[in-house]
């Protein structure tokens, strides 16, 4: 009997040692590397890879400066509570992986039988270890390892998605901040026109109708400014949630969308880069591998899901002990396992197709995002090089014609207002460029191959009269890591 | 050749013969065929006092077989209407308006007209009595002169007076572009109607949008440049007179749409002639302002006995502006306090204008659109003259003045700030 037990323990102990391959940090190091390679920003697991207090200090530091897109991304990766929640998946997956490495516990069953009319009780003991589990343990462990890899990739992908959403929300908020400023100026111009109209009306020079028309224009401008203020507050609110900032009004955002990078992004290799970098695709590939592994063990496990080996010890009522091996197995009369195999094959092929579909989708997404980026760049350049200078000239000439008393004060103010309106459309175009840029970054699955972008272009500041532009952090420095914490 | 044409020809030959005889008597020797800018001065061709057209030259001519031969070339011309405003107009012989044609009653004139315009043209000799086929109305009296071609007009002058020439093909466009000129015919008897100074002023109006250089022939109402001899003040050349001279000013109006009441300061004058001829002395009417209708001429005469620098101008006040804008809000009387600071926040060049009136706008020196004179008046001896456009100065000085001489007033003859003691003496309360 002892011999049998020992014989059974050998493989069990052998398999138990499998825990040694598990990463000590539950893979956060790998995840952080994946994220940093793709965003240029570090990722920490609060309380695990970074002390909570240190983290709070870094958050505080970032919030003290007016935020740029880079700062916002860094802040979101540091501070977004949903991402923190997702990081816990790593711990859970690690535990799952440990569990997958363990043998299922053997089942002990005991029976006591009382003979009719008294006498010694009859005892039966059996110990059964599920055999299938023992046989498939290496397979299961391989699957579990891949699953753990998937969790790491998914976690990193979640961080990338958060970074993309943050960038997008940031550019929206930055754009609406600028637009709010322009609409404030438009209101100021319209208010001046209304003021002139009131003065002229008091002097007896214009009709009630003309006054009402000027008032209507002013009130329209006020409404637009009001809308721009609300839009800005909402955009800031959305950004604050992503940044994990609870006091959204305390956020300070650099007030100008950055200028465009001087060079266009080369379309060549972008698709290949995306296929290599996209983590959701990597997850999909692993899924296909998992399915392939699963398919290997299916036929046997489908036929004998309950195969168990063990030993049984029995004391007869006469006191004699009996002992012997025990087998438990299915008789494949009704279910020979063919359907389970078919299902597994289906899943495997499905994973294969899904991977192909995702690849095609990624390629197309990259091309679409690149086209959108080109279009956005063309629009911004059209505003910057053609429309804005034209409106500057129109305003300048309008001033001359006003001086020459060929245009009245209302015409002059209207020219200023139209210049500001074109300015606001330019801001929209510039915001769309950065949204497209962010989108392309996301669909390519990592940083774009482009040179460092310049600072804000000065020639646009003329639009805003006396408004001061606060200094901003350097914007989007993909290839420079020196300022990051490692 | 029809009988009628033959008759006309023989009449022309006959008239030419008469003219030849007269000219021969008058000039002694014929001028060289390629005569330059000649004037028939009192000592040259005849004894007639030459007419002086300020800012305009007289058309050269030559005598060929007793016929006075002129050559007008209709062509695009770049012309300065006043300092700071040049226009791309159409004119004659490189000028806007065309040079003055000067001749004598009885002259046989042959005028070649070459068309260098992009469209056909013709010339109508306005007010001149001539054969119907010489009258120049395209389509009615002749075929239009195509671009590149030269037509010949020839007729004998049967009258004397103040006349003009202008196109009668697409006249609305061509006159708006500047095509017109004076045609002065002196009486055969040079002793009749003598004056000491004989001036001619051709009045016209233009639409030149501020910042452009092309007259707009489409304008019907809102003309913004009003000229004398194709010049707007301060571009007009003054009329220079020695005190005591008898002065004639021939006023001719070829404006598109405006009659001009021309007012002379300092004198009363007599209207002595129209484009229909001399007015008998008994019918001459004393005036200080003479209305010159569109397409008419009026000669006025006066004795320049009162010295000074006297204004001569159209009395329609909007004709005393250069490129005035009419579509701006009426600012007068508006309270501007704090407004400039407010608007300068986003328009640094802004200044409220017109709320106290528009005087002195020409002195502000504010930048204006290129090639425009919206604010320009002229400088006078007492500061800025706030008038422009159809304005000039008749300078009557004890000795014949130079163009930029100003009259020196005897002491006590200039309006000055009223002395306090005078106000008290006369019981004038100003507070």
């Amino acid at each position: 009997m002892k011999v049998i037990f020992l014989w059974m323990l050998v493989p069990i102990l052998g398999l138990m040692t499998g825990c040694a391959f598990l990463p000590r940090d539950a893979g956060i190091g790998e995840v952080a590397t994946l994220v940093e390679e793709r965003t240029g920003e570090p990722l920490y697991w609060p309380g695990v890879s970074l002390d909570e207090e240190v983290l709070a200090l870094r958050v505080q530091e970032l919030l003290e400066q007016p935020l740029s897109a880079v700062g916002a991304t860094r802040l979101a990766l540091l501070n977004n509570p949903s991402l923190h929640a997702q990081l816990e998946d790593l711990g859970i997956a690690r535990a799952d992986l440990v569990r997958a490495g363990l043998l299922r516990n053997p089942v002990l069953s005991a029976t006591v039988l009382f003979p009719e009319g008294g006498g010694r009780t009859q005892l039966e003991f059996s110990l059964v270890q599920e055999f299938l589990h023992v046989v498939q343990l290496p397979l299961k462990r391989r699957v579990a390892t891949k699953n753990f890899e998937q969790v790491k990739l998914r976690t990193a992908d979640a961080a990338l998605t958060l970074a993309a959403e943050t960038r997008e929300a940031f550019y929206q908020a930055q754009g609406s901040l600028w637009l709010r400023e322009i609409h404030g100026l438009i209101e100021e111009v319209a208010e001046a026109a209304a003021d002139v109209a009131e003065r002229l009306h008091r002097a007896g020079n214009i009709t009630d109708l003309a006054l009402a028309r000027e008032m209507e224009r002013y009130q329209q401008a006020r409404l637009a400014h009001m809308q721009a203020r609300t839009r800005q507050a909402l955009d800031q609110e959305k950004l604050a949630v992503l940044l994990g900032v609870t006091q959204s009004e305390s956020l300070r955002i650099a007030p100008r969308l950055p200028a465009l990078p001087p060079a266009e992004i080369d379309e060549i290799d972008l698709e290949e880069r995306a296929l290599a970098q996209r983590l959701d695709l990597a997850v999909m590939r692993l899924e296909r591998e998992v399915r392939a592994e699963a398919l290997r063990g299916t036929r046997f496990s489908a036929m004998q899901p309950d195969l168990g080996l063990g030993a049984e010890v029995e004391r007869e009522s006469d006191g004699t002990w009996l002992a012997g091996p025990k087998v438990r197995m299915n008789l494949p009369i009704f279910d020979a396992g063919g359907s389970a195999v078919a299902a597994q094959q289906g899943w495997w092929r499905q994973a294969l197709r899904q991977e192909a579909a995702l690849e095609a989708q990624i390629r197309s997404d990259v091309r679409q995002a690149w086209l959108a980026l080109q279009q956005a760049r063309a629009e911004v350049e059209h505003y910057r090089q053609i429309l804005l200078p034209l409106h500057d000239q129109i305003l300048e000439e309008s001033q001359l014609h006003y001086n020459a008393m060929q245009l009245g004060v209302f015409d002059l103010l209207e020219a200023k207002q139209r210049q500001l309106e074109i300015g606001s459309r330019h801001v929209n175009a510039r915001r769309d460029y950065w949204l497209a840029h962010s989108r392309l970054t996301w669909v390519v699955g990592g940083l774009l191959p482009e040179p460092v972008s310049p600072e804000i272009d000065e020639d646009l500041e003329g639009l805003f009269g006396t408004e001061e532009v606060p200094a901003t952090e350097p914007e989007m420095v993909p290839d420079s890591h020196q300022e990051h914490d490692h | 050749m029809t009988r009628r044409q033959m008759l006309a020809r023989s009449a022309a030959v006959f008239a030419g013969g008469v003219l030849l005889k007269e000219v021969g008597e008058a000039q002694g020797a014929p001028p060289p065929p390629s005569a330059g800018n000649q004037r028939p001065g009192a000592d040259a061709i005849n004894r007639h006092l030459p007419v002086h057209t300020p800012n305009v030259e007289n058309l050269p001519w030559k005598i060929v077989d007793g016929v006075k031969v002129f050559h007008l070339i209709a062509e695009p011309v770049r012309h300065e209407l006043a300092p700071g405003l040049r226009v791309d107009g159409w004119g004659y012989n490189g000028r806007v308006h065309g040079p003055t044609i000067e001749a004598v009653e009885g002259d046989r004139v042959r005028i070649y007209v070459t068309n260098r315009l992009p469209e056909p043209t013709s010339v109508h000799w306005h007010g001149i009595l001539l054969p119907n086929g010489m009258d120049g109305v395209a389509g009615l009296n002749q075929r239009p002169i195509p671009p590149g071609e030269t037509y010949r007009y020839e007729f004998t002058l049967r009258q004397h007076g103040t006349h003009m020439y202008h196109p009668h093909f697409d006249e609305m466009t061509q006159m708006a572009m500047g095509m017109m000129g004076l045609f002065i015919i002196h009486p055969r008897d040079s002793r009749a109607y003598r004056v000491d100074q004989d001036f001619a002023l051709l009045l016209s109006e233009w639409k030149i949008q501020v910042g452009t250089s092309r007259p707009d022939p489409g304008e019907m109402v809102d003309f913004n440049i009003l000229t004398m001899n194709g010049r707007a003040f301060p571009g007009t050349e003054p009329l220079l007179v020695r005190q005591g001279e008898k002065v004639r000013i021939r006023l001719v109006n070829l404006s598109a749409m405006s009659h001009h009441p021309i007012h002379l300061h300092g004198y009363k004058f007599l209207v002595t002639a129209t484009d229909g001829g001399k007015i008998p002395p008994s019918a001459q009417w004393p005036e200080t302002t003479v209305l010159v209708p569109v397409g008419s001429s009026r000669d006025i005469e006066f004795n320049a006995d009162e010295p000074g620098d006297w204004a001569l101008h159209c009395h329609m006040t909007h004709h005393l502006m250069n490129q005035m804008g009419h579509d701006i809000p009426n600012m007068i009387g508006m309270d501007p306090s704090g407004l400039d600071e407010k608007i300068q926040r986003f328009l640094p060049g802004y200044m409220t204008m017109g709320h106290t009136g528009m005087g002195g706008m020409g002195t502000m020196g504010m930048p204006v659109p290129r090639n425009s004179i919206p604010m320009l008046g002229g400088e006078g001896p007492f500061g800025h003259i706030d008038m422009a456009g159809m304005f000039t100065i008749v300078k009557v000085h004890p000795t014949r003045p130079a163009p930029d001489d100003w009259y020196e007033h005897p002491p006590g003859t200039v309006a000055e700030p009223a002395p306090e003691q005078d106000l008290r003496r006369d019981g004038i309360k100003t507070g």
Side-chain angles (χ1 to χ4, degrees):
Chain A
M1 192 182 82
K2 277 182 185 172
V3 176
I4 295 166
F5 275 109
L6 284 174
W7 171 73
M8 284 170 58
L9 278 173
V10 169
I12 295 169
L13 289 171
L15 290 167
M16 291 279 283
T17 58
C19 303
F21 67 89
L22 288 175
R24 283 181 188 282
D25 65 351
I28 181 64
E30 282 172 69
V31 171
T33 305
L34 285 173
V35 170
E36 181 152 2
E37 277 169 2
R38 284 161 176 76
T39 63
E41 295 301 325
L43 175 71
Y44 302 104
W45 188 353
V48 177
S49 68
L50 189 68
D51 194 68
E52 301 263 11
E53 279 168 24
V54 177
L55 188 139
L57 272 176
R58 291 197 182 169
V59 167
Q60 196 51 45
E61 240 169 67
L62 281 170
L63 284 174
E64 275 163 13
Q65 294 288 324
L67 276 179
S68 65
V70 167
T73 309
R74 190 174 305 167
L75 186 54
L77 291 178
L78 268 181
N79 203 39
N80 179 291
S82 302
L83 181 64
H84 292 173
Q86 196 134 11
L87 287 173
E88 294 301 334
D89 277 354
L90 290 173
I92 295 165
R94 183 182 183 279
D96 286 347
L97 181 54
V98 170
R99 200 163 54 237
L102 298 179
L103 274 179
R104 199 166 291 171
N105 292 329
V107 177
L108 173 73
S109 59
T111 313
V112 181
L113 297 172
F114 300 97
E116 209 174 1
R120 291 193 71 170
T121 52
Q122 185 180 339
L123 301 174
E124 287 176 30
F125 299 97
S126 73
L127 187 65
V128 175
Q129 176 67 43
E130 277 196 25
F131 184 73
L132 181 70
H133 195 73
V134 175
V135 172
Q136 290 196 328
L137 197 59
L139 172 69
K140 278 194 185 298
R141 195 188 287 153
R142 281 201 303 280
V143 169
T145 306
K146 286 193 195 304
N147 281 339
F148 182 54
E149 287 302 314
Q150 280 181 311
V151 170
K152 284 192 285 189
L153 292 174
R154 281 202 187 97
T155 307
D157 198 43
L160 294 187
T161 304
L162 172 68
E165 284 171 353
T166 303
R167 279 195 308 268
E168 194 170 300
F170 178 81
Y171 289 131
Q172 290 283 9
Q174 203 173 33
S176 58
L177 192 66
W178 199 352
L179 288 173
R180 184 187 72 176
E181 195 177 328
I182 295 177
H183 279 287
L185 280 165
I186 291 174
E187 184 189 329
E188 210 177 307
V189 174
E191 195 274 330
D195 184 6
V196 173
E198 275 181 333
R199 290 165 191 247
L200 286 175
H201 191 256
R202 271 201 299 279
N205 297 18
I206 63 167
T207 60
D208 295 352
L209 173 62
L211 177 62
R213 282 185 175 147
E214 280 308 322
M215 285 299 152
E216 191 270 348
R217 286 158 63 94
Y218 167 46
Q219 295 301 337
Q220 291 266 19
R222 273 191 66 202
L223 182 62
H225 185 199
M226 205 192 302
Q227 287 164 339
R229 277 199 303 262
T230 304
R231 173 79 196 269
Q232 191 277 328
L234 289 175
D235 284 348
Q236 180 142 339
E237 197 58 54
K238 284 178 196 157
L239 177 64
V241 170
L242 291 169
L243 298 180
V245 173
T246 46
Q247 303 291 317
S248 64
E249 64 275 13
S250 72
L251 267 189
R252 282 192 301 144
I253 296 171
R256 298 283 184 271
L257 286 160
L260 269 52
E264 289 179 16
I265 290 164
D266 198 344
E267 193 187 14
I268 296 169
D269 294 338
L270 274 187
E271 289 174 40
E272 302 311 317
R273 189 184 266 258
L275 295 182
Q277 286 190 142
R278 278 283 287 264
L279 297 180
D280 52 346
L281 183 62
V283 169
M284 196 70 93
R285 283 188 188 124
L286 276 176
E287 182 65 22
R288 188 237 308 148
E289 287 170 21
V290 167
R291 290 296 169 196
E293 292 278 7
L295 184 59
R296 266 173 230 152
T298 299
R299 185 164 294 279
F300 185 66
S301 64
M303 216 178 335
Q304 289 298 342
D306 299 323
L307 181 65
L309 292 176
E312 190 159 325
V313 180
E314 193 176 326
R315 190 187 72 181
E316 294 292 337
S317 52
D318 58 2
T320 56
W321 286 84
L322 300 171
K326 179 174 177 173
V327 175
R328 192 184 68 202
M329 63 181 295
N330 294 56
L331 298 177
I333 298 166
F334 306 112
D335 180 5
S339 60
V341 172
Q344 278 294 354
Q345 274 176 337
W347 277 326
W348 173 72
R349 279 201 302 272
Q350 191 174 47
L352 206 62
R353 304 293 180 226
Q354 279 169 346
E355 188 188 334
L358 185 58
E359 277 188 19
Q361 185 65 52
I362 286 171
R363 283 182 183 276
S364 174
D365 282 350
V366 168
R367 289 192 296 267
Q368 287 180 44
W370 187 81
L371 270 178
L373 186 71
Q374 295 304 104
Q375 173 59 25
R377 172 182 280 275
E379 274 181 39
V380 171
E381 290 303 313
H382 191 75
Y383 277 109
R384 200 176 65 80
Q385 291 177 9
I386 297 166
L387 282 172
L388 290 176
L390 269 177
H391 273 268
D392 285 350
Q393 191 193 349
I394 288 168
L395 186 60
E396 206 173 296
E397 291 291 333
S398 297
Q399 178 72 58
L400 295 181
H401 280 260
Y402 170 81
N403 293 351
M405 298 186 83
Q406 304 296 309
L407 287 181
V409 58
F410 296 116
D411 297 315
L412 181 61
L413 292 172
E414 192 188 335
K416 179 67 195 176
Q417 188 167 337
R418 290 204 52 210
Q419 183 213 26
L420 288 168
E421 279 160 3
I422 283 291
S424 78
R425 278 157 62 183
H426 164 258
V427 171
N428 280 330
R430 215 197 253 210
R431 182 201 54 208
D432 290 348
Y433 173 85
W434 284 111
L435 289 177
H437 188 276
S438 175
R439 163 92 188 151
L440 183 61
T441 308
W442 187 67
V443 298
V444 167
L447 296 171
L448 297 175
E450 68 179 348
V452 176
S453 76
E455 281 299 290
I456 291 156
D457 37 356
E458 301 294 331
D459 53 336
L460 288 168
E461 305 313 319
L463 267 181
F464 302 102
T466 55
E467 299 280 330
E468 288 291 323
V469 183
T472 54
E473 273 186 74
E475 188 54 48
M476 292 302 285
V477 195
D479 295 320
S480 132
H481 288 242
Q482 67 270 20
E483 60 176 315
H484 300 153
D485 299 311
H486 284 275
Chain B
M1 188 179 281
T2 64
R3 183 180 158 79
R4 177 175 295 197
Q5 283 171 321
M6 281 184 66
L7 279 174
R9 277 216 167 174
S10 55
V13 168
F14 173 73
V18 171
L19 184 87
L20 185 65
K21 181 165 167 279
E22 266 203 8
V23 168
E25 280 172 0
Q27 76 183 67
S34 60
N37 181 22
Q38 294 184 11
R39 283 183 188 172
D43 53 344
I45 299 161
N46 56 38
R47 295 178 197 89
H48 292 285
L49 176 73
V51 69
H52 178 45
T53 321
N55 298 109
V56 172
E57 309 215 332
N58 288 7
L59 185 63
W61 50 272
K62 59 193 172 187
I63 300 286
V64 178
D65 297 335
V67 179
K68 204 177 255 185
V69 177
F70 298 88
H71 186 194
L72 279 177
I73 301 163
E75 59 190 354
V77 176
R78 189 147 174 80
H79 172 67
E80 187 187 72
L81 286 169
L85 179 60
R86 295 176 75 87
V87 293
D88 296 300
W90 291 350
Y92 295 99
N93 298 43
R95 304 193 67 84
V96 165
H97 305 309
T100 299
I101 296 174
E102 201 173 21
V104 180
E105 183 185 7
D107 278 356
R108 178 77 180 170
V109 294
R110 184 182 300 145
I111 306 170
Y112 292 98
V113 177
T114 298
N115 182 7
R116 291 186 188 154
L117 298 172
E119 70 165 347
T121 189
S122 73
V123 181
H124 165 59
W125 316 98
H126 183 118
I128 295 176
L129 308 174
L130 38 61
N132 186 247
M134 292 291 155
D135 198 44
V137 179
L140 178 65
N141 306 123
Q142 65 167 90
R143 273 193 282 276
I145 309 169
E149 291 200 14
T150 301
Y151 273 40
R152 189 197 64 188
Y153 294 88
E154 185 164 331
F155 44 89
T156 301
L157 301 173
R158 294 186 255 155
Q159 69 201 113
H160 59 85
T162 303
H163 305 287
M164 48 278 208
Y165 62 89
H166 62 79
H168 242 304
F169 175 90
D170 190 14
E171 43 280 276
M172 182 199 82
T173 300
Q174 297 191 1
M175 292 174 74
M177 293 289 280
M179 296 180 71
M180 57 187 74
L182 290 168
F183 199 135
I184 306 298
I185 309 170
H186 295 287
R188 195 192 308 252
D189 179 356
S190 64
R191 292 159 302 181
Y193 317 111
R194 278 307 294 212
V195 290
D196 302 310
Q197 293 287 343
D198 192 353
F199 297 106
L201 296 174
L202 176 53
L203 313 175
S204 65
E205 60 191 358
W206 311 69
K207 172 65 172 185
I208 297 137
Q209 200 166 356
V210 159
T212 71
S213 62
R214 183 71 68 181
D216 180 3
E219 182 58 55
M220 186 169 153
V221 182
D222 186 15
F223 298 94
N224 62 356
I225 289 285
L226 284 294
T227 56
M228 291 173 154
N229 291 336
R231 299 280 285 179
F233 188 77
T236 52
E237 180 188 315
L239 278 54
L240 305 175
V241 177
R242 185 166 51 77
Q243 188 180 356
E245 286 182 324
K246 185 173 186 187
V247 178
R248 174 187 299 136
I249 303 175
R250 301 167 189 259
L251 300 163
V252 183
N253 184 6
L254 281 179
S255 298
M257 300 295 290
S258 304
H259 312 307
H260 296 295
I262 301 296
H263 178 54
L264 173 64
H265 291 221
Y267 299 97
K268 57 182 181 173
F269 54 74
L270 291 172
V271 181
T272 59
T274 73
D275 39 339
K278 289 291 180 187
I279 301 170
S282 61
Q284 291 174 2
W285 190 261
E287 298 220 65
T288 67
T289 300
V290 57
L291 182 66
V292 189
V294 173
S296 301
S297 77
R298 299 286 183 268
D299 292 3
I300 63 168
E301 291 177 16
F302 60 97
N303 290 312
D305 45 16
E306 185 63 34
D309 298 323
W310 300 107
L312 173 69
H313 62 90
C314 177
H315 216 286
M316 293 193 178
T317 56
H318 282 265
H319 292 179
L320 292 171
M321 306 291 295
N322 286 337
Q323 294 189 302
M324 165 84 185
H326 297 106
D327 292 331
I328 59 174
N330 177 13
M331 302 297 284
I332 197 148
M334 189 194 77
D335 171 18
S337 50
L339 190 59
D340 284 9
E341 294 75 9
K342 183 184 214 170
I343 295 180
Q344 279 164 7
R345 283 198 57 204
F346 46 84
L347 284 171
Y350 174 81
M351 192 175 81
T352 303
M353 294 191 295
H355 55 291
T356 60
M358 297 181 206
M361 287 290 181
T363 63
M364 287 180 180
M366 283 195 294
V368 295
R370 66 185 174 81
N371 196 45
S372 69
I373 50 170
M375 295 297 170
L376 201 58
E379 290 311 307
F382 296 99
H384 189 71
I385 300 168
D386 242 359
M387 283 182 285
M390 200 172 275
F391 176 92
T392 191
I393 300 166
V394 181
K395 294 188 172 183
V396 181
H397 292 194
T399 55
R400 189 174 166 75
D404 45 6
D405 286 349
W406 295 109
Y407 177 61
E408 286 172 24
H409 301 263
T413 65
V414 176
E416 283 173 341
E420 198 59 39
Q421 66 267 29
D422 286 15
L423 292 172
R424 267 202 307 279
R425 180 194 67 211
D426 296 341
I428 304 297
K429 291 189 168 43
T430 58

